[in-house]
Amino acid sequence: MSDFVHLFRPIRIGNVEVPNRICHVPTDISSSHADGSVSQRDIAHHETIARGGTGLVIVGATSPNRSTNRSTVTNLVADSDTHIPGLARLAVSMHRYGARCAVQLQHAGRQASLPRDGKQASNDVAVSLPWSQSHAIVYANADEKRKTVHVLTTDEVIEIVDEFSEAAWRVKQAGFDAVELHAAHGYLISQFMSPYLNHRTDRFGGSFENRMRFPLAIVQSIQDKCGRDFPVIIRYSADEWVPGGREIAESVDVARVLERAGVAALDLSQCIQESPGAGFDPMQYPEGWTMYASEAVKKAVTIPVINSHSLRNPAYCEQMLAEGKTDMIGLSRQLLADPYWPAKARAGKVRAIRRCISCLTGCWQESMMAKKEIACAINPGCGNESFSHMERAEKPLRVAVVGGGPAGMEAARVATERGHTVTLFEKTAELGGAILGCCMAPGKDEKMKWYADWIRWQMADLSVEVRMRTSPSVADLKGYDVVVNATGARSFVPDVRGLKDRVVSFEEAMACPKVTCEFHPANVHGGFPNHAKNPERGARVPRKLEGSTVVVWGDHYAAVDTATYLASIGKEVTIITHNRDFAAAVEVIHMYVTWKRFRQQEAEALTSKPYKHPVTVLTGCTIDEIREKEIVVVDREFRKTTLAADAVVSCWTRPSTELLDQLRAAGVPVLNVGDSVSPRNLHAAVREGAEAGLALDGNMIVNPNGAYMTGLPLDVAGQLTR
């Protein structure tokens, strides 16, 4: 057992005893049925979190009125008694594992995903929020439009108060232990409470007392219908991070008012949607940066205070509890990445915890923003029940995995867990693949290394045979039952006139020289004995770029990370992309922070040193000619411009498929995964690698599309093989 005594000490919220100090703060997984009723996926997801040992599980974003407000296209709804049976099954699934559970009631207001138009709001502020799940739909070759907003009348406000309390009554009837009100992030209750967003002239707007009238009316109405012994928790933003918004001093006053009203606990968050960096806290935000808020609020109230945002490490969380800076540790994305965080921490298996890297790709960019269900970039089991019921292979195979990047290592990990015998080949001296370039990108380096280290330790702990500095031939691989090709992508230089040899690949520019890393080739690691032999052979060697002006040619993550690194070391960077918009496929909140840094500004709550030079981005153009100290750029109108350039870095990438083509030609069974399919992101690499490991079985049959069929009906399998 671990020494995390504070983490696993009980706490009372109202009359409910929570068995430990770990709280799943509300997370909308957008997995309910179209009418908002509970789905089996809802149950499986929250049941897993309870099974992992979380003390209090708050189910996220449940609408009190489906017709006027859906946070996402398939969030939960509690606007009818017909939803009570499903909610009851959901509560039972969590109580089964000793957890206490609550439902968060959320009216999304102006930020509703549905309906698209006529969104309800406290007043007529209509803005463009491209990072919100309610962002305006922008079709191909169309411009974004501002949202239309319906300003609530006084009578409508009173009706919504009743809708909240009716929904809370249903939550109680279903057997939940508490209810939470979402009053953060610019959603409807937040809009009424915010001095920045609320400009009403009736009794629900203006003064602090009037702005608090709406949430207090909801609390009172819930108490009238559910009794004062049914705990009400409120989540609100301690700082809104906009000029004229609520700051911590007023948030302390809010806490006092809510405690006097009988609120049982406070769940502190950050931001409104105009300041998304602080609310989503992507990779650039350090662990525990919000602790100042709970520390201040705790001095003013006696009810429990929950703090969240970028909490990942059990030792750090234990320290915050021990120092009295918060009463409970709020985990959201961390429990998507590893729902067994509490159990692993309690057992002292900290190294086994898959720490969330705050990438926001699976859980935001490619789920809520894309009108899809929740996922996680580094946990293929999030939202995929196939991994929850992963079984040993019926017929273990000898598997060769070629490529030690995230796709290859995930394939090796899952295949080994299922009983296959795996040999992993990596041509360089270090596992990690494309992740290793992130080591040099300020703001991404620490958290991307969390995942890189976790998956590399998995290779060691599972005793996967790893052959470093090895590029196997087709002949070498013919002895295996199946090959997983994870050879990734590599940069190239497009056709260009002039001194093409001057171009440096981004892999060379971003090679990590940090020999202090325990997985660096210069250090011996017990799981990879080849590290001890000729440590420098196969190591990635950084390429120093001469001069002060650097042109980064390309797009996507490679260009963003390269430009970020070069600007951070004082280079004057110009990015050239042929696309209409730069980094359009890169996660939007990270780009919000990155664009501010490019302009020598800083996102809310961050205080890093500004770049020496602003980063210039030229869209819709390409390099026509490379000269000795300059380049010629041509745009879509064929206009040419000459720019100074001491160095040019190529961030163009394409799949590395030479071995794959040879294996297919030789008839060797092979699966292709990750960037060797198409250069994308970590989410795609991890998912495809894990799915390959899950598919491997002795009874695999190739279908006409070149994919392996698994789970065939017995008669069909016989008909195809007899």
Side-chain angles (χ1 to χ4, degrees):
M1 305 298 287
S2 71
D3 295 326
F4 301 134
V5 294
H6 293 86
L7 267 174
F8 298 102
R9 181 175 294 164
I11 187 172
R12 295 192 72 82
I13 295 179
N15 64 347
V16 175
E17 182 171 275
V18 178
N20 60 58
R21 302 298 179 99
I22 303 167
C23 174
H24 169 265
V25 289
T27 307
D28 182 4
I29 66 170
S30 194
S31 297
S32 307
H33 295 304
D35 66 349
S37 58
V38 172
S39 70
Q40 183 54 42
R41 197 167 183 266
D42 286 321
I43 292 174
H45 178 85
H46 293 96
E47 183 179 48
T48 299
I49 291 171
R51 185 191 298 123
T54 295
L56 174 62
V57 182
I58 306 178
V59 178
T62 302
S63 173
N65 187 323
R66 87 187 83 171
S67 63
T68 62
N69 157 62
R70 295 292 293 272
S71 174
T72 55
V73 293
T74 48
N75 69 291
L76 281 166
V77 171
D79 67 355
S80 166
D81 292 357
T82 59
H83 292 301
I84 294 174
L87 289 169
R89 291 195 301 273
L90 182 57
V92 167
S93 74
M94 291 178 276
H95 284 152
R96 181 179 297 125
Y97 291 101
R100 303 295 179 262
C101 55
V103 168
Q104 181 196 66
L105 299 179
Q106 176 200 45
H107 193 302
R110 64 174 184 154
Q111 291 154 211
S113 186
L114 292 175
R116 282 194 185 183
D117 297 312
K119 304 175 195 301
Q120 296 180 336
S122 61
N123 57 288
D124 62 357
V125 172
V127 293
S128 174
L129 301 171
W131 41 76
S132 171
Q133 76 273 30
S134 64
H135 64 96
I137 303 299
V138 183
Y139 300 104
N141 301 315
D143 295 325
E144 183 177 359
K145 297 180 180 179
R146 294 165 74 88
K147 297 178 294 184
T148 58
V149 178
H150 168 66
V151 181
L152 292 167
T153 66
T154 303
D155 288 343
E156 287 172 328
V157 173
I158 295 170
E159 289 176 8
I160 291 175
V161 169
D162 189 61
E163 290 173 355
F164 268 102
S165 58
E166 284 291 300
W169 179 85
R170 296 182 186 104
V171 167
K172 182 182 179 182
Q173 288 298 111
F176 281 85
D177 301 294
V179 68
E180 179 176 278
L181 301 177
H182 196 337
H185 308 161
Y187 298 111
L188 189 65
I189 301 178
S190 169
Q191 291 170 42
F192 276 84
M193 292 171 60
S194 170
Y196 175 79
L197 291 172
N198 187 344
H199 305 295
R200 297 176 68 94
T201 57
D202 64 357
R203 65 181 182 271
F204 292 104
S207 67
F208 174 74
E209 180 183 5
N210 284 356
R211 286 186 279 111
M212 291 298 296
R213 197 180 303 277
F214 181 52
L216 291 176
I218 296 172
V219 172
Q220 180 66 56
S221 186
I222 291 173
Q223 292 170 341
D224 290 344
K225 293 178 180 178
C226 300
R228 294 184 69 88
D229 60 344
F230 184 60
V232 178
I233 305 167
I234 291 191
R235 179 174 178 83
Y236 71 100
S237 296
D239 266 304
E240 292 185 330
W241 298 104
V242 291
R246 184 171 58 253
E247 298 181 357
I248 188 64
E250 182 174 285
S251 285
V252 171
D253 293 335
V254 169
R256 292 192 182 101
V257 169
L258 294 176
E259 182 178 35
R260 287 197 298 268
V263 170
L266 304 173
D267 179 5
L268 298 183
S269 190
Q270 298 281 336
C271 97
I272 55 176
Q273 290 287 326
E274 280 82 351
S275 53
F280 289 89
D281 51 7
M283 291 185 187
Q284 294 95 335
Y285 285 74
E287 183 170 28
W289 70 272
T290 65
M291 279 297 161
Y292 76 93
S294 55
E295 189 174 14
V297 169
K298 268 178 57 62
K299 294 174 182 177
V301 297
T302 59
I303 56 177
V305 177
I306 306 165
N307 200 328
S308 57
H309 289 270
S310 293
L311 299 176
R312 305 290 184 258
N313 296 289
Y316 180 83
C317 296
E318 171 74 11
Q319 180 184 349
M320 294 300 99
L321 291 169
E323 294 177 0
K325 293 185 177 180
T326 187
D327 294 306
M328 295 191 75
I329 296 298
L331 304 178
S332 173
R333 287 172 287 169
Q334 175 55 60
L335 292 175
L336 299 179
D338 195 336
Y340 296 97
W341 189 98
K344 293 176 182 179
R346 180 70 180 270
K349 304 294 185 181
V350 174
R351 195 175 78 185
I353 291 174
R354 186 197 282 115
R355 287 178 286 176
C356 167
I357 60 175
S358 303
C359 67
L360 294 167
T361 50
C363 63
W364 192 250
Q365 177 87 354
E366 297 176 5
S367 56
M368 305 304 169
M369 289 280 289
K371 314 297 184 187
K372 298 177 183 176
E373 298 172 323
I374 201 75
C376 175
I378 62 172
N379 177 13
C382 179
N384 188 338
E385 290 189 60
S386 299
F387 289 91
S388 301
H389 307 291
M390 188 167 63
E391 298 177 348
R392 301 281 288 185
E394 293 181 13
K395 180 182 177 182
L397 304 172
R398 291 187 67 241
V399 180
V401 177
V402 184
M409 286 190 284
E410 276 291 335
R413 179 184 73 85
V414 175
T416 302
E417 294 280 15
R418 296 187 60 236
H420 299 296
T421 301
V422 178
T423 302
L424 176 64
F425 297 90
E426 168 54 39
K427 67 180 180 180
T428 73
E430 185 175 7
L431 294 176
I435 302 177
L436 299 179
C438 298
C439 291
M440 302 304 291
K444 294 184 70 173
D445 48 351
E446 179 186 29
K447 291 179 182 176
M448 286 296 281
K449 190 175 182 299
W450 286 351
Y451 175 72
D453 286 352
W454 180 83
I455 189 65
R456 292 188 288 195
W457 275 114
Q458 288 291 301
M459 297 299 96
D461 293 344
L462 291 169
S463 300
V464 174
E465 181 185 359
V466 178
R467 299 185 185 178
M468 299 290 199
R469 308 179 184 87
T470 304
S471 297
S473 65
V474 173
D476 296 328
L477 298 172
K478 281 187 174 180
Y480 293 89
D481 296 311
V482 64
V483 177
V484 177
N485 185 77
T487 47
R490 63 172 183 269
S491 65
F492 69 98
V493 182
D495 290 336
V496 62
R497 296 190 299 135
L499 305 177
K500 188 175 181 178
D501 292 343
R502 283 193 57 214
V503 180
V504 176
S505 71
F506 77 92
E507 294 98 334
E508 294 176 285
M510 295 286 284
C512 178
K514 300 174 183 176
V515 295
T516 55
C517 173
E518 60 192 331
F519 287 96
H520 190 276
N523 300 312
V524 177
H525 175 262
F528 309 116
N530 284 347
H531 274 227
K533 303 172 185 177
N534 302 318
E536 298 307 321
R537 185 169 63 84
R540 299 168 188 264
V541 180
R543 176 89 170 263
K544 183 178 180 181
L545 301 181
E546 302 296 337
S548 60
T549 58
V550 181
V551 168
V552 173
W553 187 16
D555 209 313
H556 206 49
Y557 283 95
V560 174
D561 291 347
T562 302
T564 299
Y565 164 62
L566 294 173
S568 73
I569 62 172
K571 300 292 186 182
E572 188 173 355
V573 178
T574 298
I575 300 170
I576 294 178
T577 175
H578 65 290
N579 292 321
R580 184 179 71 171
D581 300 304
F582 174 63
V586 176
E587 197 284 313
V588 65
I589 308 295
H590 283 84
M591 286 310 301
Y592 166 83
V593 177
T594 298
W595 278 113
K596 282 185 172 288
R597 297 231 67 204
F598 281 179
R599 295 163 183 149
Q600 295 178 298
Q601 302 168 357
E602 192 57 279
E604 49 274 6
L606 293 178
T607 56
S608 54
K609 183 180 179 182
Y611 295 153
K612 183 178 180 181
H613 306 282
V615 174
T616 301
V617 179
L618 302 180
T619 59
C621 57
T622 190
I623 297 179
D624 177 65
E625 182 180 1
I626 299 174
R627 299 171 181 169
E628 187 62 40
K629 286 288 184 178
E630 62 186 19
I631 61 169
V632 178
V633 177
V634 59
D635 65 16
R636 290 179 177 176
E637 303 298 324
F638 302 103
R639 294 172 298 201
K640 293 186 177 182
T641 305
T642 300
L643 301 177
D646 296 318
V648 179
V649 179
S650 172
C651 296
W652 290 79
T653 59
R654 59 188 170 201
S656 180
T657 59
E658 292 83 355
L659 179 63
L660 174 68
D661 295 338
Q662 294 170 13
L663 290 169
R664 286 174 172 169
V668 177
V670 59
L671 291 169
N672 191 32
V673 297
D675 282 357
S676 53
V677 176
S678 176
R680 286 153 296 164
N681 57 21
L682 181 63
H683 184 198
V686 169
R687 183 186 68 247
E688 290 177 0
E691 288 175 348
L694 193 64
L696 294 173
D697 203 287
N699 300 318
M700 292 188 307
I701 303 172
V702 179
N703 74 7
N705 301 322
Y708 283 89
M709 297 183 286
T710 57
L712 287 173
L714 184 62
D715 58 335
V716 174
Q719 292 159 8
L720 289 171
T721 56
R722 283 196 294 269

